[in-house]
Amino acid sequence: NDNYVKAMTGLMKKYKNQNITTELLSRELSAVTGYNWDYFFDQWFRGVGIPEIHTKWKTTPKDGKYLFEMTVNQKDPDNFKKVFLPVMFKGSSKDQVARKDFPIGKQGQVIQAMLPFEPKTVEIDPDNNLLADYVQDK
């Protein structure tokens, strides 16, 4: 957050009353953070479309708990988008709720979580914070 504030403040001072490009923004962010931001801008600005994320999940009873496993794919693997995927698990009673964010970095990634209850429903991005479309595969 500090680097973001520093970069934005610097941009506003340096380019006051000027239009800036995505390339300029990327370069200035890199200068402040010491990190190459090309992947981010390639993915979300120069790339194609909104990702269509396909999920398929199962649970397996294990030692009194439940192993949750979900395979995550995107419709367009050539333009794969890295995301942090929030997942909400709900059991049979209202107190059986859990949430976890999973970093998704590759096509066909399998994510796992050990849960103290059997999930009856699984909600992907329950707060609708990601710019993505979701498909629950059977």
Side-chain angles (χ1 to χ4, degrees):
N1 191 40
D2 291 340
N3 281 336
Y4 175 79
V5 171
K6 184 177 177 182
M8 293 301 111
T9 303
L11 276 168
M12 290 187 324
K13 287 179 184 175
K14 188 173 181 179
Y15 299 100
K16 185 176 182 174
N17 298 321
Q18 297 178 46
N19 293 326
I20 64 170
T21 64
T22 303
E23 285 71 28
L24 185 69
L25 176 60
S26 177
R27 193 171 48 237
E28 293 291 328
L29 282 171
S30 294
V32 170
T33 63
Y35 182 76
N36 184 337
W37 287 88
D38 285 343
Y39 89 92
F40 175 83
F41 287 97
D42 286 345
Q43 178 170 310
W44 294 105
F45 291 93
R46 299 179 197 112
V48 242
I50 297 170
E52 182 176 291
I53 299 173
H54 288 252
T55 60
K56 185 174 184 177
W57 61 274
K58 68 177 183 175
T59 57
T60 308
K62 195 169 194 170
D63 301 324
K65 295 184 179 181
Y66 292 86
L67 175 62
F68 170 84
E69 295 178 290
M70 182 167 64
T71 303
V72 181
N73 285 294
Q74 290 184 20
K75 182 179 179 180
D76 185 2
D78 293 335
N79 292 293
F80 187 88
K81 311 283 191 227
K82 295 178 182 178
V83 297
F84 277 95
L85 192 64
V87 180
M88 177 81 73
F89 308 96
K90 294 182 179 179
S92 55
S93 70
K94 66 180 181 179
D95 62 326
Q96 292 180 328
V97 177
R99 181 185 175 124
K100 185 164 172 61
D101 293 342
F102 297 94
I104 306 299
K106 64 181 181 178
Q107 184 77 338
Q109 184 171 338
V110 177
I111 56 177
Q112 297 180 326
M114 190 62 77
L115 300 171
F117 58 87
E118 182 178 13
K120 299 299 182 189
T121 62
V122 174
E123 295 178 35
I124 308 300
D125 190 20
D127 301 322
N128 297 310
N129 288 330
L130 292 178
L131 183 59
D133 292 322
Y134 305 101
V135 177
Q136 174 73 45
D137 293 334
K138 296 181 182 197

